[in-house]
Amino acid sequence: MMVRSDAVMMPDTVIGGPGTAVDPNFVTLLSRAKIANVPILGFVYTSFGGRNISEVMVDIDNYYKWYPTLSGIYIGDSDSGCDVMASYYGVLWNYTRAHHNNATFVLQIGTLAHECSLNVSTIVVNLESYYYDEMAWTAPAWTENYPPERFWHLVFETPLNLLDKVYKKAVENRAGHVLITDQDIFDYSALPSYLGELVALVDV
């Protein structure tokens, strides 16, 4: 199985979002990504469903106004409750896909994700943790009902000598999208130091 990891852009690095105006650097990034056939997603924060939903919609619209070739939206810090999935994230899911050409819609939840999250998303991040948590974790039985392309794992602080084992475990846990890095937990400021080895591993 070929595993991939889409790229996520965040022009506003303080709170996470599109910022207040178009950034020429990201326009260039998206142009290059399109040529290389690399999907780019725009990060939007929701404060676990506590942020005003209209503000979230404005962020989503601004991403597409300023960066029209964007592949989709990456919803950070998503709540895991099924009630919030229906009343909050379901509204965002329908809005985004209706207004922005069936855009990819990713929910970043973690291992507390429930099956209901797949009703309102294209992809669910159902693991975001240390490498040893990936190695010890077993995906819930319900994930067998869906293709691996619906799941994304973010695995941190992975040493190079364990890269292959962690990758194989992520695949075993049905992840169709994977980022494995030696960076600190939740640190997205730099690429893995072994990016070449990671690309060679997943691009088979």
Side-chain angles (χ1 to χ4, degrees):
M1 179 183 73
M2 182 175 176
V3 173
R4 56 183 267 182
S5 187
D6 300 351
V8 180
M9 61 183 274
M10 186 168 59
D12 185 341
T13 58
V14 178
I15 60 174
T20 58
V22 64
D23 185 329
N25 294 314
F26 283 99
V27 173
T28 300
L29 169 70
L30 282 161
S31 177
R32 292 175 177 174
K34 185 175 182 180
I35 293 172
N37 197 30
V38 176
I40 303 289
L41 311 173
F43 182 97
V44 178
Y45 80 98
T46 61
S47 297
F48 302 98
R51 187 183 178 202
N52 185 295
I53 198 167
S54 296
E55 293 180 3
V56 180
M57 290 176 176
V58 169
D59 275 357
I60 292 170
D61 289 340
N62 282 341
Y63 264 120
Y64 278 95
K65 179 170 65 176
W66 298 329
Y67 311 105
T69 60
L70 203 66
S71 299
I73 297 297
Y74 183 102
I75 300 292
D77 53 29
S78 304
D79 194 279
S80 62
C82 288
D83 54 340
V84 181
M85 284 298 147
S87 65
Y88 188 88
Y89 294 104
V91 173
L92 291 174
W93 154 257
N94 289 324
Y95 178 85
T96 301
R97 290 173 65 80
H99 289 80
H100 301 293
N101 195 29
N102 290 323
T104 297
F105 191 81
V106 179
L107 290 179
Q108 176 193 359
I109 301 173
T111 55
L112 295 178
H114 300 293
E115 187 171 9
C116 61
S117 63
L118 289 173
N119 296 328
V120 294
S121 65
T122 313
I123 303 166
V124 170
V125 177
N126 63 331
L127 187 140
E128 183 187 23
S129 196
Y130 300 98
Y131 74 91
Y132 45 80
D133 290 327
E134 176 78 79
M135 296 301 295
W137 190 62
T138 299
W142 59 262
T143 60
E144 296 284 345
N145 299 328
Y146 304 90
E149 291 74 22
R150 301 293 305 276
F151 304 106
W152 193 344
H153 287 191
L154 308 173
V155 190
F156 295 87
E157 299 190 19
T158 306
L160 176 58
N161 66 310
L162 292 179
L163 179 60
D164 183 69
K165 288 184 178 180
V166 172
Y167 168 74
K168 289 178 179 177
K169 182 63 174 178
V171 172
E172 180 183 319
N173 277 326
R174 300 190 57 72
H177 304 256
V178 175
L179 169 66
I180 302 174
T181 180
D182 52 350
Q183 300 300 315
D184 292 339
I185 188 74
F186 309 137
D187 182 0
Y188 296 100
S189 64
L191 294 170
S193 66
Y194 44 62
L195 182 61
E197 290 88 342
L198 179 60
V199 170
L201 187 63
V202 302
D203 192 16
V204 295

